[in-house]
């Protein structure tokens, strides 16, 4: 297929490298460069002139032949049903006559406005369909969000060392990480379709922003490294923190540590449209930080008044 460079009306686009000729529409004033036929020796074949790329006409929504908005709070417009269609959730019980004994397909609410002036009102009827209705979806984002909803993305699963129920110490390493799964980290891909249009979306967490509860924040580009006892008192190689004050002054004597996962969602539609959206999900845990106290020993009775290395509780 020939490559075309389009230009706004009244401007001449730069000539691309190669054997191209400039063609302009006398009505719109838009000009494009079109690849010419390759003319070789008489004995060789000649490539036919490339046809300009023609974009598909956007579908239109009509009510009895008159223009109609393609989307509303009641769903997407169906030209065949002449109403806005939206799946009934939760569906009617199996005993509802609309099913007529069927166990497949879905029930849809078909809503349209009728009447004039002060007599305008909404009329709703319910329809069983074996699949998706032929709704006109001009904006593929409608399907993008439907695909994302089907992913059932979950909040990050926060992990720390020391963990819940343990006491960390001032100026000692704290390791931070999140568990990785398809729904908490990705990548995860889902599709959503209506007749004539399909959108595929892929979601992946790109970074986790940590709020440590002591006024400090931390951005970790990865999920972090899970702590193992064999690591000793080393700092986390990619996602860690050291507290300089105890959590004694905090509510319940604990720092609230929150992790916000930043999802990057890229999508592509069967019509050639592409895009990117983002979303965040947050989860939190609590962390108690104490301080080491000295060992006080009675040289005569050898009684221990304090324990070294233990966190002082509130």
């Amino acid at each position: 297929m020939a490559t075309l460079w389009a230009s706004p009306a009244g401007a001449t686009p730069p000539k691309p490298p190669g054997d191209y000729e400039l063609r302009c529409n006398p009505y719109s004033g838009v000009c494009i460069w079109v690849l010419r036929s390759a003319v070789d020796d008489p004995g060789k074949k000649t490539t036919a002139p490339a046809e300009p790329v023609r974009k598909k006409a956007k579908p239109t929504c009509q009510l009895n032949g008159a223009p109609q908005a393609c989307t509303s709070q009641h769903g997407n417009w169906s030209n065949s049903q002449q109403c806005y269609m939206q799946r009934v959730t939760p569906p009617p019980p199996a005993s509802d006559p609309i099913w007529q004994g069927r166990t497949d397909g879905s029930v849809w609410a078909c809503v349209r406005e009728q009447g004039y002036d002060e007599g305008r009102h909404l009329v709703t009827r319910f329809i069983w369909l074996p699949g998706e209705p032929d709704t006109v979806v001009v904006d593929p984002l409608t399907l993008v969000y439907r695909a994302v909803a089907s992913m059932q993305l979950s909040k990050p699963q926060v992990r720390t060392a020391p963990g819940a129920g343990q006491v960390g110490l001032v100026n000692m390493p704290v390791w931070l990480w999140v568990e990785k799964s398809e729904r908490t980290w990705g990548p995860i891909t889902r599709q959503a379709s209506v007749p004539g249009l399909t959108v595929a979306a892929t979601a992946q967490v790109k970074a986790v922003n940590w709020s440590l509860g002591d006024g400090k924040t931390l951005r970790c580009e990865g999920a972090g490294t899970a702590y193992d006892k064999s690591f000793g008192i080393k700092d986390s190689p990619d996602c860690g923190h050291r507290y300089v004050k105890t959590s004694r002054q905090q509510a319940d004597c604990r720092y609230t540590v929150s992790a916000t996962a930043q999802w990057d969602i890229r999508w592509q539609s069967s019509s050639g449209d592409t895009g990117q959206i983002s979303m965040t999900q947050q989860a939190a845990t609590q962390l108690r930080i104490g301080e080491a106290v000295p060992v006080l020993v009675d040289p005569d009775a050898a009684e221990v008044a304090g324990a070294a290395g233990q966190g002082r509780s509130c």
Side-chain angles (χ1 to χ4, degrees), residues 199-218:
V199 165
T202 299
Q204 169 78 65
V205 173
K206 292 301 181 183
V208 179
N209 292 324
W210 294 84
S211 176
L212 289 312
D214 60 350
K216 302 293 185 181
T217 58
L218 177 67

Side-chain angles (χ1 to χ4, degrees), residues 150-153 182-183 186-190 201-204 263:
S150 69
M151 295 177 185
Q152 298 181 338
L153 302 180
E182 187 182 49
R183 287 191 168 87
I188 178 172
T189 299
R190 293 291 186 271
T202 299
Q204 169 78 65
W263 288 90

